[in-house]
Amino acid sequence: MVRIANAVRPRLARAATAAQPRIARLTKAVRPGLAHLPGPRAVRTWQYTAGAATAGLALAAGVVTLAGPWDANGQRTAERDRAVALERSGGADHGDSGTRARGPRPAPSAPAVLTGLGGTTGTVSTKKAPPGQKALADVLGPLLGVSALGGGHAAAVVDVSTGKQLYGTAADRAFTPASTTKIATAVAALSALGPDHRLTTRAALEPDTGELVLVGGGDPTLTAHPKAEGWASLRTLAADTAAALKKRGIDKITLSYDTTLFSGPAVHPVGVNDNLAPVSALTADEGRTNNSTSGPVTRVSDPAADAAGKFADYLRKAGVKTTPPGPSKATNRAETLATVSSPPLSALVERMLTNSDNDIAEALARQTALASGRAASFDGGAKAIATQLTKLGLPMSGAAFHDGSGLNRDDRLTANLLTALLVKAADPARPGLRPVLTGLPVAGFTGTLAARYTDGAAGVVRAKTGTLTGVNTLAGTVVDQDGHLLAFAFLASNTTNAQEAQSALDRTATALAACGCG
């Protein structure tokens, strides 16, 4: 026991130190609720002892959770990666979150829900306030009606445990959703492929010509960084390939690369953009020109050629000479020498949502298309997403998809659909959709919400952000003062000041968290 205590003590000390800022923040968040507790009364010694023990256990659990965080099975969740990220107009990738995610397994199932939702055209609030408290419409209406939210807005709030809509205004009207589109992409991809699906990149040797083909598997998280941190490594693939070639007595090869898994235009309709590389079935580190893992940055013009060039360098360092790589297509007779695979799809979905990663979003749209028997293109991915959501019985009226990331301004979603997607992700009958919820950025802590809500509902709001010029959106979950888990979606168009609009949406979500409206 002494040895165990000595081994654990330094880790607990580090965990406590790391958790102090977050504990302080959470303490501030819950302090108003303490005012509602009963006043002091006489207690006995055993009651003091029991209370102290309970408080100690709670503090220890809080420290471990905040320093981790961990789930019940020791699995990774999106909260693991503390990031600094700010919203940026003109793109759905909202800044450098610095996230270096590791692949989790599918998360456990969520609380029970009912998924039937009805459309509304006017402002509706079915949540009645207790005596002396405001109704939900009275709380949200003035906050959503501010001029900062532009010429039009829509909103919906749904009780996740019952599926009942508690508030709605223009909830069935379609708006440009910006990056909240990724919620739909996540649900569609997980539904079509399953949370355990992995994407594989391979090296194959042609038996007749001796040509070595690097075959792209559409993995947007393939990395050439020295430390792969759980993602598929191009360096590992090269090392394993070189070893396999040497066993065959081969130390010089003709190198080519195959990107034929994906089709159609590689460049998004918005054009060359720091928020998204040309979409290719073969890419390393999203074609980034620096060591970043998220956020806007200049991209290489040909991600496949860039990845193949790095692969050739790694082969040469391993003792295998190559020709300059060029495009080709592996035949059915090619022998696979080595492979590397991505973490489960659940991990890719979490990283996409936490960091608002456009490259992952567009790759997953194409993978959804392939699983649906469609061409792996922008158009095929968009149609596949709509088809998958329709199969799930979601309210698709007014919805229109043109990509998987939300960069396309012609995308259209309703507040009804966004909240229905979140409720569906919480359905215990569909545990494979749970990464949609665990991947949502946590207010004040992770991803695109890391620098927001520091004086508001930090740790309570979890939401996907969306920003394009003139468009600000927010959709996610929140626990209100009554302990109810609520799904919400706020969409605003024709905004003129992105920062003011963002702050208005944050205030609305904070008010929803603070509401004990029924």
Side-chain angles (χ1 to χ4, degrees):
M1 290 296 292
V2 172
R3 287 197 299 270
I4 294 174
N6 290 335
V8 170
R9 186 177 296 111
R11 300 183 184 184
L12 287 177
R14 288 194 298 270
T17 301
Q20 282 177 355
R22 300 187 186 183
I23 291 175
R25 207 179 303 169
L26 291 174
T27 300
K28 180 179 178 181
V30 302
R31 184 175 291 119
L34 297 178
H36 301 294
L37 295 176
R41 59 178 181 179
V43 293
R44 299 177 181 176
T45 301
W46 69 268
Q47 291 175 307
Y48 279 118
T49 303
T54 301
L57 289 172
L59 177 59
V63 168
V64 173
T65 299
L66 290 169
W70 320 93
D71 65 18
N73 298 314
Q75 298 170 336
R76 170 201 178 274
T77 62
E79 292 86 350
R80 185 187 55 198
D81 300 303
R82 171 72 177 175
V84 177
L86 293 173
E87 291 278 6
R88 303 200 181 199
S89 62
D93 199 348
H94 302 290
D96 183 5
S97 68
T99 298
R100 296 183 177 273
R102 298 164 180 81
R105 296 178 181 176
S109 60
V113 297
L114 298 176
T115 57
L117 298 174
T120 60
T121 56
T123 300
V124 175
S125 177
T126 60
K127 193 168 186 182
K128 297 181 179 179
Q133 296 187 19
K134 287 187 176 181
L136 189 55
D138 295 334
V139 172
L140 300 184
L143 293 169
L144 290 168
V146 297
S147 59
L149 293 182
H153 68 268
V157 178
V158 175
D159 189 321
V160 172
S161 67
T162 65
K164 181 180 180 181
Q165 186 175 93
L166 307 177
Y167 175 82
T169 179
D172 60 356
R173 179 183 166 192
F175 280 71
T176 300
S179 206
T180 55
T181 300
K182 293 183 177 72
I183 296 174
T185 302
V187 170
L190 289 167
S191 298
L193 300 162
D196 295 324
H197 185 75
R198 296 172 187 262
L199 309 177
T200 299
T201 307
R202 63 192 180 96
L205 184 65
E206 295 289 357
D208 299 327
T209 64
E211 176 189 11
L212 181 68
V213 186
L214 177 60
V215 184
D219 179 6
T221 61
L222 180 69
T223 180
H225 288 311
K227 294 183 179 179
E229 298 189 346
W231 306 101
S233 170
L234 190 65
R235 294 170 183 261
T236 298
L237 181 61
D240 292 348
T241 300
L245 288 169
K246 289 179 180 179
K247 285 183 179 179
R248 290 165 172 77
I250 302 173
D251 60 6
K252 184 177 182 180
I253 51 94
T254 297
L255 180 63
S256 60
Y257 55 92
D258 183 348
T259 64
T260 58
L261 184 67
F262 289 174
S263 59
V267 177
H268 192 282
V270 299
V272 176
N273 193 301
D274 287 352
N275 287 292
L276 176 66
V279 182
S280 173
L282 177 62
T283 183
D285 301 307
E286 301 179 339
R288 294 173 177 275
T289 53
N290 61 14
N291 291 325
S292 66
T293 57
S294 65
V297 69
T298 301
R299 312 303 181 94
V300 298
S301 60
D302 190 341
D306 175 70
K310 292 176 179 177
F311 185 71
D313 289 339
Y314 302 148
L315 286 177
R316 284 192 286 271
K317 290 178 181 178
V320 177
K321 296 179 180 179
T322 77
T323 60
S328 182
K329 178 176 172 57
T331 68
N332 293 333
R333 298 181 64 239
E335 177 189 1
T336 297
L337 299 184
T339 65
V340 289
S341 295
S342 71
L345 183 65
S346 56
L348 275 65
V349 165
E350 283 192 326
R351 176 172 165 179
M352 173 186 72
L353 293 172
T354 301
N355 297 340
S356 197
D357 193 305
N358 298 307
D359 298 87
I360 296 178
E362 296 303 344
L364 293 191
R366 281 164 167 72
Q367 295 289 350
T368 303
L370 291 170
S372 305
R374 296 182 180 274
S377 61
F378 283 109
D379 184 61
K383 290 179 179 177
I385 291 171
T387 298
Q388 287 296 324
L389 301 189
T390 299
K391 287 181 179 179
L392 291 172
L394 293 162
M396 298 295 289
S397 178
F401 293 95
H402 296 275
D403 62 8
S405 63
L407 280 172
N408 197 312
R409 301 184 69 87
D410 290 332
D411 289 336
R412 292 291 184 273
L413 296 182
T414 65
N416 275 343
L417 177 54
L418 284 168
T419 51
L421 286 163
L422 294 165
V423 170
K424 184 69 71 174
D427 188 343
R430 299 184 181 276
L433 298 182
R434 188 59 180 268
V436 176
L437 301 182
T438 57
L440 293 174
V442 181
F445 288 89
T446 63
T448 57
L449 289 185
R452 292 166 60 172
Y453 293 90
T454 53
D455 295 322
V460 181
V461 172
R462 303 188 62 152
K464 182 70 203 73
T465 54
T467 304
L468 294 171
T469 302
V471 174
N472 292 86
T473 60
L474 191 70
T477 63
V478 65
V479 178
D480 71 4
Q481 289 295 303
D482 295 328
H484 297 142
L485 179 63
L486 308 179
F488 68 88
F490 307 139
L491 301 98
S493 63
N494 299 318
T495 58
T496 57
N497 186 307
Q499 198 66 39
E500 290 180 1
Q502 173 182 296
S503 296
L505 294 178
D506 290 351
R507 285 193 296 271
T508 306
T510 298
L512 183 59
C515 188
C517 303

